[in-house]
Amino acid sequence: MNDDHTVLEARNLSKTFSSRSLLGRTTSETRAVDHVSLSLTAGKTYALVGESGSGKSTTGRLLQGLISPSAGEVTIRASNGSTSVQSISRANRDVQMIFQDPYSSLNPRRRIRGILEESLRIIGEREPAVLRSKVDEALAAVGFGEEHAQRYPHEFSGGQRQRIGIARALVVSPKIIICDEPVSALDVSIQAQILNLLRKLQAELGLAYLFITHDMTVVRYLAHRVGVMHRGKIVEEADTADLFANPQHDYTKRLLASVPIHHPSQRAEAKGKN
Amino acid sequence: MTNLLEVVDLRTSFDTERGTVTAVDGASFTVAPGEVVGIVGESGCGKSVTAESILQLLDPASTTYSGQVRFGGEDLLTFGETAMRRIRGNRISMIFQDPMSALNPVFTIGDQLTEAILAHRRIGKQRARSEATELLEKTGIPEPQRRMRQYPHQLSGGQRQRVMIAMALSCDPELLIADEPTTALDVTTQSQILKLLIELKDEFDAGILFITHDLGVVAEICDRVVVMYLGEVVESANVHTLFDSPAHPYTRGLLASTPDIASDPSIDLPIIPGTVPTLHNVPVGCRFADRCSFVLPECRDRPIDLEVLSDGHSSRCIRSVKLFEDSAMSDGVAR
């Protein structure tokens, strides 16, 4: 998958965390991410699935440059040439992140307009007219208008706050959005609203998503390609339909067998699978 | 079959800075021995408050209960704190979403389990310890002897939840209340814990009241389901009836908007528009009216009664009967 539409490539990424004793001696090392390679394509969603502690969130943070890898590299391809993600300002513009908890990821003391403008200032935008029009555009993309821009985060519900999180990511016109469990803290009826919105934005803007999740039903609905992470490694990677139809790795099979059934009539069948 | 638990017209209100809110408004349901009853709904629907009201776990200074919680021929709401202590953890146990915060980090698993057993039964310490080890084994924890000597942080989330289940079962309760016990766990662990609960329920012949927001979990283990919305029961039915012919538009919306592995991923998910109103401004008429695709002007006039559609199936919607018959409308939720 090394075609022209590749927007991000990670090669042999590893991240080791070490814990030290009081005297500074390294006492133990944990390899959270172990030789992970993946590429993201414009207009497509790559889902990274696995259980807690499998290294999927750490991988997401490495791709955005929030933490630096112990080994390996991340390359972002822009129309004007490739850049290594180590150049942070580049990463801020091209790769944005949406977090799981929309409550703690928005500054409670700032109005929505201020929160979105901050993202633009970080990448060097100062012109008031540009700030205003870009914020308006991003808010409109998630279904909000001027009346919402003047409010504070606490005036919104969980689902609405996640929309604001999406608008904040969109405002700098990124190519890639890393979505770390963006719907798992939301109510069922709100999850569908956000998932549909993410799909619509991808179709309109050609965004590449890295979707970090443990929920296989969401993967089926949103992802084009899936990487299954287990103990820091990608143990299986396949196109979504193939992965569900024909899982190869034992862990993938176990993961799929554990997905809750959709109707009580599937109970006997589900028991047979285990 | 005689019911183990009969909740009749339960109302739980809190005094808040902005006035009194009624978090549970007239809930009625039953649990029979050996039965798993699910209470399902979104945040703020009152499902956890219902569970906590049964055991009177809410702050007595700001909480008012009314109605009845009939258990073993008596109304628990008439019991004082001392009498309730003999019920809690003894005849009715509860497990919570987060096992880490329910365990004491500075005592070993063995100490905590043994203490729980000794608190409720008059047996020697040695015997309590060996029973604790046996319980750990029953909940499928490998090397129970070694685990007894370990501290909560040395166990994984799934193992901690198994310890909580062992603790809840230590006094052979008649009723187990499980409040989102698998929500914080990985899916592979979740399916193991659900299986374990079913096995143990059969072995101990206890009834289970299962609080969850996850319809997949409901499909896996519940016999009957109570759907709550903004403090009210909006539908209750046998689990097969609920999934085959949901009668309330909210239940239909919930079922339709839950992504399914088998559904066509190229089609947008059906959604329930809008958000749940707060308890501070509960609508006069149907509480779901503002988000409902089938709403009529009369839905907003006055409170809607729970209507019995068939044996064991009721719905709080003036259009249930029609919706129920007209299957063409079954997919009429907004997209």
Side-chain angles (χ1 to χ4, degrees):
Chain A
M1 292 251 302
N2 211 340
D3 54 58
D4 289 335
H5 300 294
T6 303
V7 288
L8 179 147
E9 241 189 314
R11 266 188 241 106
N12 274 318
L13 272 191
S14 292
K15 179 69 185 177
T16 310
F17 293 107
S18 46
S19 46
R20 287 170 198 281
S21 66
L22 276 178
L23 301 174
R25 238 176 269 155
T26 303
T27 50
S28 69
E29 289 205 325
T30 312
R31 181 156 286 189
V33 175
D34 194 356
H35 293 92
V36 163
S37 299
L38 59 86
S39 57
L40 303 182
T41 310
K44 303 282 182 197
T45 301
Y46 185 108
L48 210 48
V49 301
E51 56 198 31
S52 44
S54 62
K56 54 190 196 302
S57 288
T58 307
T59 304
R61 303 175 77 181
L62 286 169
L63 296 190
Q64 209 207 354
L66 284 175
I67 50 175
S68 51
S70 312
E73 62 166 6
V74 180
T75 316
I76 291 166
R77 297 188 177 200
S79 43
N80 56 350
S82 298
T83 355
S84 162
V85 81
Q86 269 74 2
S87 119
I88 289 294
S89 61
R90 186 76 238 169
N92 270 326
R93 189 190 295 268
D94 285 338
V95 189
Q96 284 291 314
M97 203 149 179
I98 303 169
F99 299 92
Q100 174 174 1
D101 183 359
Y103 295 87
S104 63
S105 57
L106 299 173
N107 185 342
R109 292 167 185 273
R110 303 200 63 170
R111 295 175 199 272
I112 303 309
R113 178 172 297 283
I115 291 173
L116 265 64
E117 281 181 352
E118 177 78 18
S119 287
L120 286 164
R121 287 205 180 87
I122 289 170
I123 62 161
E125 186 57 68
R126 294 282 184 274
E127 186 63 46
V130 177
L131 289 175
R132 172 158 286 275
S133 73
K134 288 205 166 174
V135 169
D136 288 344
E137 207 180 306
L139 285 174
V142 300
F144 285 149
E146 174 57 31
E147 69 275 22
H148 299 97
Q150 294 311 318
R151 296 196 203 154
Y152 290 93
H154 76 263
E155 299 176 62
F156 295 90
S157 69
Q160 290 174 323
R161 273 184 244 200
Q162 198 55 289
R163 280 173 195 268
I164 295 164
I166 294 170
R168 177 176 58 183
L170 288 177
V171 73
V172 300
S173 315
K175 294 190 173 60
I176 300 151
I177 297 183
I178 296 170
C179 313
D180 194 352
E181 302 268 14
V183 296
S184 56
L186 302 176
D187 278 323
V188 188
S189 75
I190 307 301
Q191 281 188 12
Q193 294 178 4
I194 298 294
L195 292 174
N196 287 348
L197 174 66
L198 286 171
R199 279 204 347 179
K200 178 181 137 248
L201 293 170
Q202 181 169 59
E204 287 171 6
L205 306 169
L207 295 163
Y209 291 150
L210 179 80
F211 204 93
I212 298 168
T213 184
H214 66 279
D215 187 340
M216 294 305 280
T217 54
V218 171
V219 170
R220 181 84 179 93
Y221 174 70
L222 211 66
H224 301 90
R225 204 164 166 79
V226 188
V228 180
M229 274 193 94
H230 188 52
R231 297 186 181 164
K233 289 191 166 79
I234 291 187
V235 294
E236 181 166 0
E237 191 191 87
D239 285 346
T240 309
D242 292 342
L243 188 98
F244 280 80
N246 196 10
Q248 297 296 312
H249 195 275
D250 272 355
Y251 178 69
T252 313
K253 290 179 190 166
R254 246 193 309 150
L255 201 60
L256 288 172
S258 307
V259 174
I261 53 176
H262 199 65
H263 193 284
S265 62
Q266 296 165 310
R267 262 183 213 180
E269 184 197 328
K271 271 179 191 153
K273 268 195 294 187
N274 291 323
Chain B
M1 194 156 31
T2 5
N3 285 318
L4 188 60
L5 177 77
E6 280 181 34
V7 172
V8 186
D9 203 23
L10 175 71
R11 247 177 206 82
T12 307
S13 314
F14 302 120
D15 298 329
T16 73
E17 284 171 17
R18 292 166 62 193
T20 303
V21 295
T22 304
V24 179
D25 201 352
S28 300
F29 57 90
T30 62
V31 183
E35 191 180 39
V36 184
V37 176
I39 300 187
V40 56
E42 301 178 274
S43 41
C45 75
K47 56 188 192 300
S48 289
V49 175
T50 302
E52 286 158 355
S53 301
I54 292 169
L55 285 174
Q56 292 176 48
L57 294 176
L58 298 151
D59 178 12
S62 59
T63 313
T64 317
Y65 305 101
S66 74
Q68 291 177 16
V69 175
R70 305 199 62 82
F71 177 75
E74 289 173 289
D75 180 6
L76 298 186
L77 288 185
T78 63
F79 281 30
E81 184 58 22
T82 325
M84 275 314 290
R85 276 194 193 170
R86 283 198 294 270
I87 298 284
R88 294 183 199 131
N90 204 5
R91 297 180 64 194
I92 304 178
S93 299
M94 188 155 174
I95 51 176
F96 300 89
Q97 179 174 343
D98 181 8
M100 192 58 197
S101 60
L103 288 165
N104 190 329
V106 302
F107 288 101
T108 63
I109 300 299
D111 287 344
Q112 297 186 58
L113 258 178
T114 311
E115 189 191 298
I117 295 172
L118 288 173
H120 296 287
R121 287 165 50 195
R122 276 183 227 162
I123 54 173
K125 204 168 176 190
Q126 280 311 311
R127 178 141 170 245
R129 234 185 137 75
S130 73
E131 280 194 17
T133 317
E134 251 173 64
L135 275 166
L136 282 186
E137 197 164 4
K138 253 184 202 155
T139 55
I141 292 186
E143 300 177 79
Q145 301 277 3
R146 191 166 70 91
R147 293 297 178 197
M148 288 283 284
R149 295 190 298 272
Q150 290 188 322
Y151 291 88
H153 76 269
Q154 294 172 289
L155 273 60
S156 68
Q159 283 171 337
R160 287 198 283 260
Q161 197 55 285
R162 284 173 201 266
V163 170
M164 291 311 301
I165 293 171
M167 203 174 278
L169 294 176
S170 63
C171 296
D172 206 356
E174 294 152 66
L175 178 70
L176 178 67
I177 301 176
D179 190 0
E180 304 259 11
T182 60
T183 305
L185 305 175
D186 286 316
V187 276
T188 44
T189 317
Q190 164 167 291
S191 82
Q192 292 163 7
I193 296 286
L194 292 179
K195 245 199 259 176
L196 173 70
L197 281 173
I198 293 301
E199 282 167 24
L200 294 173
K201 177 208 73 168
D202 292 340
E203 188 182 331
F204 288 78
D205 196 32
I208 299 183
L209 185 64
F210 201 103
I211 316 295
T212 184
H213 70 281
D214 188 338
L215 287 162
V217 170
V218 170
E220 294 265 7
I221 77 160
C222 294
D223 300 313
R224 284 193 303 114
V225 192
V226 176
V227 183
M228 290 186 74
Y229 186 80
L230 206 58
E232 284 182 337
V233 172
V234 293
E235 183 162 5
S236 68
N238 169 288
V239 70
H240 290 279
T241 312
L242 191 93
F243 280 79
D244 285 338
S245 29
H248 196 282
Y250 177 61
T251 316
R252 287 171 174 239
L254 272 187
L255 286 167
S257 60
T258 309
D260 173 18
I261 278 189
S263 63
D264 180 356
S266 65
I267 298 169
D268 265 2
L269 287 168
I271 61 159
I272 302 177
T275 50
V276 187
T278 67
L279 287 168
H280 287 285
N281 58 57
V282 171
V284 180
C286 170
R287 297 183 178 188
F288 186 62
D290 285 343
R291 304 177 70 191
C292 184
S293 327
F294 305 110
V295 66
L296 299 174
E298 51 266 44
C299 293
R300 303 179 198 270
D301 290 350
R302 62 196 136 70
I304 311 293
D305 291 330
L306 205 55
E307 189 179 350
V308 178
L309 301 173
S310 63
D311 191 24
H313 189 189
S314 45
S315 165
R316 197 182 291 277
C317 173
I318 55 171
R319 303 195 70 190
S320 299
V321 181
K322 282 215 75 146
L323 295 175
F324 198 49
E325 284 161 359
D326 190 359
S327 59
M329 287 175 88
S330 69
D331 205 30
V333 279
R335 280 188 196 270

